[in-house]
Amino acid sequence: MRRTLADGREVFVKSGPVSPLFTSEAAGLRWLGPIAVPVVSADERHIAVEWVEPEPPTAAAAERFGRDLAATHARGAQAFGADWPGFIGPLPMDNTPAPDWPSFYASQRVLPFVRQAGLDPAPFERALDRCHDAPAEPPARIHGDLWNGNVLWSGGRGVLIDAAAHGGHRETDLAMLALFGAPHLDRILAAYQEVSPLADGWRDRVPLHQLHPLAVHVVLFGGGYRESLVSAVTRLL
């Protein structure tokens, strides 16, 4: 909810039962840096961030966001994972640092949620072999849950909220933006590529990077997303 502090600053506050979710989100937002909404305070009962006055997204703002996102990814991470507990929405994620992306993505991102969804992991294990098709890259500093609703447009730029931040593959953030659609996505991608060109074949790997968020959505919201998840894994086999 929106609140005004004693010093006149306006903030947005989320609160709930005692949980490391709030401190995890705060750690991720701070780690992402200037592209993310500033954290005012956080503990295991709440997180308060600066209020961002929304405005309609423009093509120019989308291009700036693409460049800002590329710069954020390029800041990198020490490993795949993070030094704080992981969450995506209310669901815990294993952020234990790992040295390589294929094993991290399979064992700490996709397969745990496939199993929670009650799905046969065998086809996903075969599809995840495609992780080795991607050229090896150092861990990027990613948002981790970058659907359009977690980008606020204000002041001629995109601002990140609700982070599930960790060291990951930079294509993951871009695939998540594409999953549910983002305004001026073509302009975002073009500006991103100007700053940090993507490896050949990245478009073919989009379904691979979408396995994780789709599996999370099946766990959170049920069978309505199951068809999309099965379609994504089938495209990879």
Side-chain angles (χ1 to χ4, degrees):
M1 67 177 63
R2 186 175 183 175
R3 291 183 177 174
T4 302
L5 302 180
D7 60 8
R9 285 182 298 167
E10 291 195 276
V11 297
F12 181 81
V13 180
K14 293 190 296 186
S15 61
V18 172
S19 169
L21 185 154
F22 300 116
T23 53
S24 172
E25 181 182 340
L29 289 170
R30 290 171 174 142
W31 185 65
L32 288 169
I35 197 173
V37 63
V39 177
V40 176
S41 64
D43 58 26
E44 293 198 337
R45 291 186 179 275
H46 89 289
I47 180 172
V49 299
E50 289 187 8
W51 177 260
V52 175
E53 192 65 38
E55 65 185 23
T58 65
E63 290 174 358
R64 178 177 175 181
F65 177 68
R67 293 189 293 269
D68 289 348
L69 185 62
T72 301
H73 287 170
R75 292 175 62 200
Q78 292 186 338
F80 295 97
D83 293 333
W84 51 84
F87 285 86
I88 186 162
L91 300 177
M93 295 192 300
D94 182 2
N95 266 357
T96 303
D100 71 277
W101 180 72
S103 61
F104 170 80
Y105 186 64
S107 65
Q108 294 171 234
R109 288 299 180 262
V110 178
L111 294 177
F113 295 99
V114 167
R115 294 188 179 102
Q116 285 184 56
L119 299 172
D120 178 7
F124 293 90
E125 291 169 346
R126 295 196 300 273
L128 287 163
D129 285 340
R130 294 282 302 276
C131 289
H132 298 282
D133 295 345
E137 293 191 0
R141 188 168 300 214
I142 71 170
H143 178 278
D145 189 15
L146 194 54
W147 71 288
N148 177 49
N150 284 341
V151 183
L152 298 182
W153 301 95
S154 183
R157 60 191 288 256
V159 180
L160 301 181
I161 62 170
D162 293 352
H166 61 277
H169 199 296
R170 62 196 181 116
E171 292 176 5
T172 297
D173 270 353
L174 300 177
M176 186 68 170
L177 276 177
L179 182 57
F180 300 117
H184 307 292
L185 180 60
D186 57 335
R187 307 292 282 270
I188 294 173
L189 294 173
Y192 185 102
Q193 294 250 56
E194 289 176 4
V195 175
S196 185
L198 295 162
D200 290 344
W202 70 270
R203 291 185 185 276
D204 296 331
R205 293 186 291 273
V206 167
L208 177 67
H209 291 277
Q210 291 178 343
L211 293 179
H212 174 230
L214 285 171
V216 168
H217 275 68
V218 175
V219 173
L220 286 174
F221 306 114
Y225 289 95
R226 188 180 300 258
E227 183 177 342
S228 297
L229 177 58
V230 170
S231 175
V233 76
T234 301
R235 291 165 62 189
L236 295 164
L237 296 175

